[in-house]
């Protein structure tokens, strides 16, 4: 409330200083003094009532009025994180006519196997066009040497970066949010070196890089902190995952791999590990995935730690349907075809997020030397 | 003037202000090439080097840099640890390098090398505005400046008994700690905040070179950062009341160098045949060392400001100047005094006070104080062998607690390099006064990364002994000794989701990094309260395999008071704190 404006006092409260005796009744001097006092008073009154009016407006004007700060319920003062959405339909590319859904290459030489597997599903040129910004998502979860099979293979990452660049990608990015210290995980696994040497741009998570991602329809992560910075401007996403035993969800392959893009309280998801994997399949629709069955962590997963936990699989799988790739990995690489598929396969299939019966799809299997 | 017109025409007249000749016609370099300017460059260089080395103290940057160089150059660290351990660890001989200039020139360290001194001087330079008279008054010697010598005596006696406390006030340890715990995490927040703001405006700045912890997924936090930060702010603010307050009053390193500088060969010398007792030399005197009278050699920082400020050219820096009294002829009183044939202008005859102004009995008193303080500290519950705090979990490679307290200078270099932020400055509650700000692990913040021994690499004093990853993990030649254990993990079944709440979980088992895993599960299928059948993997501990890395505690979803938690019992650094009967045999089985 502005104070009631007072009439300017005709006489200023303090007595004017004694005027020099030599100029008694010096009207001009007294007059100018009074004028000055009046002006000072008016200025002060104007400023203080202006301040009071402004403060009153900010505090009392109804919410929504310009410059109003009024918040009667306390709701307006809460933080409102702006949420992010990934493009509609994800990063999927329409399949090429006649291409297989699952490209499977057996052999021992990486590059020919990788080319053969990708060619079978349409070829790298089909997925990556000139000018694309491609994000590669390896699994860097733990600080382990690559040979221990707990992380993606650096050679595969390097080869995939090279293929993308060959296909004309403007920029290839590599990003993951590991469980252990990101720098150490990327360094120890060799993925940092492989990425940088192949000319990719590496994104290590910083705490400011996470934004809330909106995934409509997700059961657990409809709104969840997401490693957003590497996604700005991205046009294609490729996942590359090792084949790993997993204590809780039984197998961690290409679908579980997207877990590394989440931030926040991830450790709660073990209470519904199959539910979160189904949500991950919904959250991120990749351009394609590569399942690296050359090393199979067949027990003590997902961390491993001993070479005896790893066996050679001599296989690479490229697929547009990551669930089918995982199902193939379950049967043929982990060799658990006699056991029922983990529950997340059924959950994903219910939502039409993939085909767990990979034999019903078009397979192209190539054997190289 | 700053906007340069076309050069060639007016080259002769218009030169850069820096290059203008002096008013008295002497060329510009008599103004710019002064030793005080060289000193400022030296201070800037060493401060920048100090910050650079701190920023380098990080996983991806450390390379071969001597990141603890300043701590190793600190002769007080070397002396005090030599007193407490009777050894000189790794690089601590480097402290001798600082003694060389000290014995030649005096306390040059304080005003030429010390980054903390540079910070204090800079703050005073910016904020202590006043007349010459104010400055002269502020820079006179005060008796309180003896305090640092008492602090030094108490701390050295404590060290000799085996309790190292110099790190509380040693300027380098204090500054490393302040930067690590408070300043650099704050600057990280500012830099990432700035990056985020810019990114929202469509720019993609690469600001990670400015971060002290690049690639850390969470902003680093430190227990009690406010207190470490307040200590820095408070000591810096004291410059407004007493210039160089810390350096003049508190600094034990300065006191040590002050004691030594009585032996220095060079010192500031005043020529009383020129000196008019105007006291202008006090205007910029950093050490409050009485250059206008008998120089207090132990207080002089060798900043050379007095030589710069003297209008009579009466001051100079000289090699072993002789005492004047021997050469004085005549009497001061009647004005007939002459020195080498020239009449004296100054009324003050004194030339130097070599040693600190501390009477011998007070040295003894201070030493007695240290001797009494030792049992007070060592008998406190938190630091004894009995009754230790279960959460005082020391980094891998640490020596047993009594030896640890002989070595740790609380510099917190290990906290700075730790990639997971698990190392935290210990609070009074955990480690007592003696262990205040020493490193302990807090698994609610981070965990000890398996293949990492960086903290042992950067520790300047061997409180954390330099170990290899092989030794930490008990691989190769260390197989018989087994892995280093930091403690042992326990389950609190009352808070564990599968045990107490019919809810599947076992994050702990998943992240357990040892092979075979130290956490096993009983897989049980139960009918839940609502009739649904669920499989619960109920975890249990295999203590002979647990190394106490704490990743299970860190990743446990019961985040406030984790259902699996590590305590110090079973730590391998102290044979008195084992948990299992015959730990060695158990280890081999694993």
């Amino acid at each position: 409330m502005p104070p009631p404006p007072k009439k300017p006092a005709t006489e200023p409260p303090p007595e004017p200083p004694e005027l020099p005796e030599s100029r008694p009744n010096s009207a001009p001097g007294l007059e100018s003094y009074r004028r000055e006092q009046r002006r000072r008073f008016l200025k002060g009154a104007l400023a203080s009532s202006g301040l009071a009016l402004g403060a009153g407006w900010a505090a009392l004007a109804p919410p929504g009025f310009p410059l109003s700060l009024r918040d009667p319920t306390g709701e307006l003062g809460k933080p409102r994180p702006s949420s992010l959405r990934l493009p509609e339909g994800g990063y999927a590319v329409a399949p090429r006519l006649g291409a297989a859904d699952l490209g499977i290459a057996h052999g021992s030489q990486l590059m020919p196997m990788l080319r053969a597997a990708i060619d079978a599903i349409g070829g790298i040129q089909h997925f990556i066009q000139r000018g694309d910004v491609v994000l590669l998502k390896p699994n860097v979860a733990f600080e382990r040497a690559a040979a221990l099979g707990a992380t993606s293979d650096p050679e595969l990452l390097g080869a995939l970066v090279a293929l993308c660049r060959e296909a004309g990608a403007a920029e290839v990015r590599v990003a993951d949010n590991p469980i252990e210290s990101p720098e150490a995980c990327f360094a120890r696994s060799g993925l940092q070196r492989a990425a940088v040497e192949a000319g990719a741009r590496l994104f290590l998570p910083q705490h400011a890089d996470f934004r809330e991602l909106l995934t409509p329809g997700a059961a657990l992560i409809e709104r969840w902190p997401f490693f957003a910075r590497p996604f700005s401007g991205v046009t294609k996403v490729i996942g590359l995952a090792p084949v790993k035993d997993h204590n809780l969800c039984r197998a961690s392959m290409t679908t579980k791999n997207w877990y590394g893009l989440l931030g926040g309280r991830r450790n709660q998801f073990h209470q519904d590990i199959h539910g979160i994997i189904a949500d991950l399949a919904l959250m991120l629709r990749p351009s394609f995935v590569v399942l690296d069955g050359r090393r199979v962590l067949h027990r003590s997963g997902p961390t491993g730690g001993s070479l005896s936990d790893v066996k050679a699989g001599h296989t690479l799988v490229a697929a547009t349907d990551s669930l089918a790739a995982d199902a193939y990995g379950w049967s043929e690489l982990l060799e658990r075809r006699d056991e029922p598929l983990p529950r997340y396969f059924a959950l994903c299939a219910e939502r039409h997020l993939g085909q767990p019966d990979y034999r019903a799809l078009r397979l192209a299997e190539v054997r190289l030397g | 003037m700053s906007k340069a017109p076309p050069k060639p025409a007016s080259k002769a007249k218009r030169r850069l202000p820096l290059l203008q000749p002096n008013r008295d016609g002497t060329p510009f370099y008599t103004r710019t090439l002064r030793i005080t300017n060289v000193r400022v460059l030296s201070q800037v260089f060493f401060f920048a080097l100090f910050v650079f080395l701190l920023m380098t103290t990080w996983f991806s940057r450390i390379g071969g840099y001597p990141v603890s160089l300043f701590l190793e150059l600190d002769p007080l660290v070397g002396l005090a640890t030599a007193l407490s351990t009777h050894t000189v660890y790794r690089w601590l001989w480097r402290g001798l390098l600082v003694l060389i200039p000290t014995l030649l020139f005096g306390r040059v360290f304080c005003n030429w090398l010390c980054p903390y001194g540079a910070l204090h001087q800079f703050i005073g330079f910016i904020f202590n505005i006043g007349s010459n008279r104010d400055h002269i008054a502020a820079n006179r010697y005060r008796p309180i400046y003896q305090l640092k010598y008492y602090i030094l005596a108490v701390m050295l006696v404590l060290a000799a008994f085996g309790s190292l406390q110099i790190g509380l006030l040693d300027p380098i340890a204090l500054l490393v700690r302040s930067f690590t715990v408070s300043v650099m995490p704050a600057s990280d927040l500012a830099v990432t905040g700035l990056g985020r703001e810019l990114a929202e405006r469509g720019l993609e700045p690469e600001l990670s070179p400015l971060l002290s912890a690049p690639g850390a997924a969470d902003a680093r936090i430190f227990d009690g950062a406010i207190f470490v930060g307040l200590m820095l702010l408070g000591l810096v603010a004291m410059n407004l009341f007493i210039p160089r307050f810390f350096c003049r009053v508190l600094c034990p390193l300065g006191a040590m160098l002050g004691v030594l500088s009585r032996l220095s060969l060079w010192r500031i010398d005043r020529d009383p045949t020129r000196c008019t007792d105007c006291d202008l030399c006090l205007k910029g005197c950093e050490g409050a060392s009485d250059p206008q009278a008998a120089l207090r050699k132990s207080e002089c920082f060798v900043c050379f400001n007095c030589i710069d400020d003297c209008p009579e050219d009466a001051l100079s820096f000289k090699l072993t100047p002789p005492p004047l009294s021997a050469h004085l002829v005549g009497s001061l009183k009647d004005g007939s005094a002459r020195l080498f044939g020239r009449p004296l202008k100054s009324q003050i005859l004194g030339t130097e006070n070599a040693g600190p102004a501390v009477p011998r009995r007070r040295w003894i008193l201070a030493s007695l104080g240290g001797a009494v303080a030792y049992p007070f500290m060592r008998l406190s519950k938190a630091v004894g062998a009995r009754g230790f705090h279960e959460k005082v979990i020391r980094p891998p490679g640490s020596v047993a607690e009594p030896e640890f307290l002989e070595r740790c200078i609380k510099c917190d270099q290990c906290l700075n390099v730790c990639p997971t932020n698990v190392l935290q400055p210990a609070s009074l509650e955990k480690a007592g006064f003696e262990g205040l700000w020493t490193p302990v692990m807090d698994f609610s913040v981070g965990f000890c990364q398996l293949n990492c021994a960086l903290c042992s690499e950067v520790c300047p004093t061997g409180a954390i002994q330099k170990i290899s990853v092989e030794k930490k993990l008990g691989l190769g030649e260390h197989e018989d000794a087994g892995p280093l254990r930091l403690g042992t993990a326990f389950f609190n079944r009352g808070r564990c989701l599968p045990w107490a709440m019919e809810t599947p979980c076992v994050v702990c088992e998943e992240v357990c990094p040892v092979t075979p895993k130290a956490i096993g599960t009983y897989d049980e299928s139960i009918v839940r309260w609502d009739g649904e059948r669920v499989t619960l993997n109920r975890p249990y501990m295999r203590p002979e395999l647990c190394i106490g890395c704490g990743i299970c505690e860190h990743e446990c979803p019961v985040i406030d008071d984790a259902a699996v938690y590590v305590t110090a019992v079973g730590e391998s650094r102290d044979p008195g704190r084992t948990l299992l009967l015959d730990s060695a045999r158990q280890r081999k089985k694993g």
Side-chain angles (χ1 to χ4, degrees):
Chain A
M1 285 274 288
K6 273 189 255 166
K7 276 275 174 218
T10 43
E11 284 285 328
E15 281 297 312
E18 304 256 300
L19 293 167
E21 281 302 323
S22 58
R23 293 198 296 165
N25 306 322
S26 164
L30 193 62
E31 198 44 46
S32 75
Y33 175 79
R34 282 186 175 153
R35 206 161 45 230
E36 201 179 296
Q37 287 293 86
R38 192 156 53 233
R39 192 173 297 154
R40 189 184 294 166
F41 170 80
L42 285 172
K43 274 184 185 166
L46 211 65
S48 50
S49 45
L51 270 176
L53 265 177
W57 175 263
L60 296 172
F65 276 50
L67 298 180
S68 165
L69 301 178
R70 188 161 161 73
D71 180 11
T73 59
E75 285 300 314
L76 296 175
K78 292 181 181 170
R80 275 163 294 174
S82 60
S83 49
L84 178 85
R85 284 193 68 165
L86 295 183
E88 200 67 40
Y91 299 92
V93 177
R96 206 179 78 182
L97 215 62
D101 298 302
L102 224 55
I104 302 157
H106 304 287
S108 53
Q109 281 180 303
L110 172 63
M111 206 54 177
M113 284 166 74
L114 184 62
R115 277 186 198 280
I118 296 176
D119 283 347
I121 59 170
I124 191 77
Q125 302 289 353
H126 173 67
F127 292 100
I128 309 293
Q129 274 82 45
R130 188 155 296 282
D132 268 340
V133 178
V134 186
L135 178 74
L136 301 185
K137 163 65 178 77
N139 184 335
V140 203
F142 300 100
E143 193 210 359
R144 297 276 195 211
L148 294 170
T151 51
S152 289
D153 179 46
E155 287 174 36
L156 174 64
L157 180 74
L160 209 47
V161 174
L163 278 189
C164 291
R165 289 168 63 92
E166 198 181 292
E171 186 180 323
V172 184
R173 301 176 179 178
V174 174
D176 192 20
N177 177 23
I179 307 276
E180 297 187 81
S181 155
E183 277 201 311
C185 292
F186 267 97
R188 181 80 55 181
S189 61
L191 288 162
Q192 171 153 7
R193 186 170 186 166
V196 171
E197 281 181 359
R201 186 171 160 202
L202 196 66
F203 284 76
L204 296 181
Q206 298 285 352
H207 62 273
D209 297 348
F210 291 85
R211 286 186 62 194
E212 188 180 270
L213 177 73
L214 188 64
T215 308
L220 304 171
I221 51 169
E222 186 153 20
R223 290 170 182 279
W224 199 267
F226 179 76
F227 187 15
R229 190 166 69 104
F231 278 81
S232 85
V234 159
T235 52
K236 299 286 159 59
V237 174
I238 303 172
L240 56 155
V243 180
K244 299 204 288 181
D245 167 59
H246 194 283
N247 57 339
L248 202 56
C249 67
R250 303 288 289 115
S252 166
M253 288 176 281
T254 60
T255 317
K256 170 82 166 57
N257 184 27
W258 306 122
Y259 187 85
L261 296 174
L262 300 180
R265 294 280 320 282
R266 296 193 289 188
N267 50 9
Q268 289 173 341
F269 293 135
H270 288 65
Q271 294 160 38
D272 186 3
I273 193 85
H274 300 286
I276 185 64
I277 296 177
D279 275 0
L280 288 172
L282 179 69
M283 176 186 86
L284 207 124
R285 314 284 294 157
S287 309
F288 67 94
V289 294
V290 178
L291 182 65
D292 185 3
R294 293 174 308 140
R295 280 192 203 103
V296 179
L297 182 68
H298 62 97
R299 63 168 189 234
S300 285
T303 47
S306 165
L307 284 174
S308 63
D309 301 334
V310 183
K311 64 182 179 187
H314 306 294
T315 305
L316 264 187
V317 182
T320 48
D321 179 342
S322 62
L323 201 66
D326 288 359
Y328 177 87
W330 175 264
S331 301
E332 304 299 325
L333 299 170
L334 284 168
E335 298 177 57
R336 295 179 180 172
R337 55 185 80 83
D338 300 332
E339 298 174 45
L341 280 171
R343 196 162 62 86
Y344 67 82
F345 284 90
L347 289 178
C348 291
E350 274 169 28
R351 295 191 190 174
H352 309 289
L353 295 172
Q355 173 58 273
D357 183 11
Y358 68 94
R359 289 184 191 82
L361 300 173
R362 282 162 298 178
L363 305 187
E365 207 156 350
V366 191
R367 273 177 204 286
L368 304 163
Chain B
M1 208 157 69
S2 58
K3 282 181 187 171
K7 265 186 180 172
S10 54
K11 198 177 179 182
K13 288 177 200 164
R14 294 192 174 226
R15 278 183 283 193
L16 285 171
L18 267 178
L19 303 183
Q20 297 279 353
N22 291 318
R23 255 178 253 154
D24 62 4
T26 48
F28 74 93
Y29 52 76
T30 59
R31 181 179 70 240
T32 52
L33 281 187
R34 301 196 66 78
I35 189 128
T36 41
N37 287 345
V38 178
R39 189 204 72 221
V40 170
L41 286 182
S42 164
Q43 289 177 287
V44 168
F45 169 77
F46 282 107
F47 191 86
L49 180 65
F50 178 81
V51 174
F52 172 79
L53 289 177
L54 281 182
M55 300 281 284
T56 311
T57 312
W58 185 249
F59 178 82
S60 55
R61 294 171 170 172
I62 192 165
Y65 287 108
V67 290
S68 303
L69 181 67
F70 278 85
L71 291 157
E72 290 152 359
L73 278 174
D74 181 337
L76 182 58
V77 173
L79 173 67
T81 53
L83 283 175
S84 62
T85 66
H86 313 295
T87 56
V88 177
Y89 182 69
R90 269 182 103 193
W91 300 105
L92 289 183
W93 58 266
R94 283 174 173 165
L96 293 173
L97 298 177
V98 167
L99 299 189
I100 297 170
T102 307
L103 292 176
L104 289 176
F105 307 119
R107 283 172 72 178
V108 279
F109 177 86
C110 303
N111 230 75
W112 287 70
L113 271 84
C114 180
Y116 202 35
L119 174 68
H120 286 298
Q121 186 174 2
F122 182 69
I123 295 297
F125 170 70
I126 298 288
F127 296 106
N128 279 346
I129 307 296
S131 63
N132 285 355
R133 187 170 306 172
D134 296 340
H135 288 305
I136 290 169
N139 290 334
R140 286 198 192 279
Y141 180 79
R142 303 171 207 210
I144 186 76
Y145 298 166
Q146 297 171 18
L147 184 59
K148 57 180 174 291
Y149 297 103
Y150 305 140
I151 293 174
L152 175 71
V154 168
M155 284 178 169
L156 287 183
V157 170
L158 272 175
F161 277 108
S163 174
L164 197 63
Q165 292 302 320
I166 55 151
L168 285 175
L169 285 176
D170 178 90
I172 307 296
L174 196 163
L175 193 59
V176 171
R177 179 172 67 239
S178 305
F179 264 70
T180 295
V181 172
S182 305
V183 178
M184 297 205 301
S187 123
D188 282 358
L189 281 188
V191 171
T192 48
L194 179 69
R196 192 171 197 158
E197 287 297 317
L198 291 175
E200 276 170 13
R201 284 159 181 73
L203 292 162
E204 266 194 65
E206 189 48 70
L207 294 176
S208 61
L210 297 177
L211 292 171
S212 64
D218 296 300
R220 297 198 295 171
I221 56 172
F222 289 106
D223 191 5
I226 175 68
F227 300 112
V228 174
L230 270 184
M231 187 165 173
L232 179 73
L233 290 180
L235 289 174
V236 165
M238 279 307 288
N239 281 296
L240 304 185
F241 305 99
I242 295 180
R244 302 289 295 260
F245 168 80
F246 177 84
C247 315
R248 293 179 185 175
V249 180
L250 295 178
C251 182
L253 174 59
M256 175 185 167
L257 298 175
V259 171
L260 287 174
S261 64
R262 71 154 62 210
L263 303 172
S264 74
L265 295 180
W266 272 265
R267 69 164 168 85
I268 301 285
D269 183 44
R270 185 174 58 98
D271 179 355
T273 64
R274 291 179 175 225
C275 175
T276 57
D277 295 338
C278 70
D279 285 354
L280 273 174
C281 48
L282 279 174
K283 182 164 73 95
C285 179
E286 289 295 319
S289 61
D290 280 353
Q292 87 291 359
L295 179 80
R296 294 172 187 273
K297 253 173 109 181
S298 58
E299 306 298 316
C300 176
F301 295 170
V302 203
C303 68
F304 295 125
N305 281 343
C306 54
I307 297 183
D308 255 16
D309 289 338
C310 180
E312 309 293 338
D313 250 352
L315 292 167
S316 55
F317 194 56
K318 276 199 180 144
L319 177 64
T320 58
L324 297 181
S325 48
H327 305 278
L328 196 71
V329 180
S331 148
L332 261 185
K333 275 181 190 160
D334 60 15
S336 68
R338 290 182 163 264
L339 198 62
F340 305 116
R342 276 176 293 153
L344 247 66
K345 288 182 184 160
S346 171
Q347 295 301 304
I348 304 165
L349 260 186
T351 47
E352 72 166 333
N353 285 316
V358 179
R360 186 174 300 163
R361 288 188 180 194
R362 292 196 178 182
W363 280 118
I364 295 171
L365 179 70
S367 308
L368 282 177
V372 174
Y374 171 72
F376 291 174
M377 284 210 191
R378 204 29 83 87
L379 296 177
S380 301
K381 181 180 173 224
V383 293
R386 289 169 296 153
F388 61 91
H389 196 287
E390 77 275 13
K391 278 293 185 183
V392 175
I393 299 166
R394 298 295 188 189
S398 295
V399 289
E401 192 68 8
E403 291 92 68
F404 191 88
L405 295 171
E406 282 174 3
R407 290 174 178 271
C408 180
I409 53 168
K410 314 157 192 277
C411 66
D412 292 350
Q413 270 283 79
C414 48
L415 273 61
N416 192 14
V417 82
C418 179
T420 73
N421 197 197
V422 66
L423 285 180
Q424 295 283 320
S427 61
L428 278 175
E429 183 222 343
K430 277 186 188 166
F433 184 80
E434 196 175 357
L436 180 66
W437 295 330
T438 55
V440 293
M441 295 202 163
D442 184 339
F443 299 118
S444 70
V445 180
F447 57 92
C448 186
Q449 190 143 297
L450 195 68
N451 294 306
C452 173
L454 286 172
C455 50
S456 83
E457 178 62 49
V458 301
C459 180
T461 61
I464 314 170
Q465 310 238 287
K466 180 169 162 35
I467 54 166
S468 59
V469 170
E470 285 72 28
K471 178 161 184 188
K472 181 184 174 189
L473 301 180
L475 303 173
E477 56 175 314
H478 306 285
E479 201 164 347
D480 287 344
L484 299 182
R485 290 155 203 279
L486 310 174
T488 310
F490 294 82
F491 279 103
N492 183 347
R493 288 188 181 182
R495 295 177 67 86
C496 177
L497 299 184
W499 281 112
M501 302 193 178
E502 301 190 329
T503 305
C505 182
V506 294
V507 182
C508 51
E509 190 235 352
E510 171 176 333
V511 295
C512 180
V514 295
T515 322
K517 286 180 185 287
I519 297 175
T521 56
Y522 304 119
D523 301 338
E524 292 169 20
S525 186
I526 61 148
V527 179
R528 207 166 62 176
W529 64 273
D530 57 359
E532 197 173 323
R533 179 160 285 281
V534 289
T535 304
L536 297 175
N537 312 96
R538 290 179 157 156
Y540 68 92
M541 191 57 59
R542 303 161 179 160
E544 57 280 2
L545 299 176
C546 179
I547 55 171
C549 72
I551 192 170
C552 50
E553 180 175 343
H554 181 251
E555 295 294 325
C556 179
V558 191
I559 50 172
D560 56 343
D561 176 9
V564 57
Y565 59 98
V566 177
T567 66
V569 67
E571 57 179 354
S572 51
R573 69 186 177 122
D574 187 343
R577 293 186 183 179
T578 52
L579 173 67
L580 302 174
L581 184 69
D582 196 355
S583 302
R585 197 178 63 208
Q586 296 282 10
R587 252 180 246 140
K588 276 186 193 167
K589 269 195 216 163

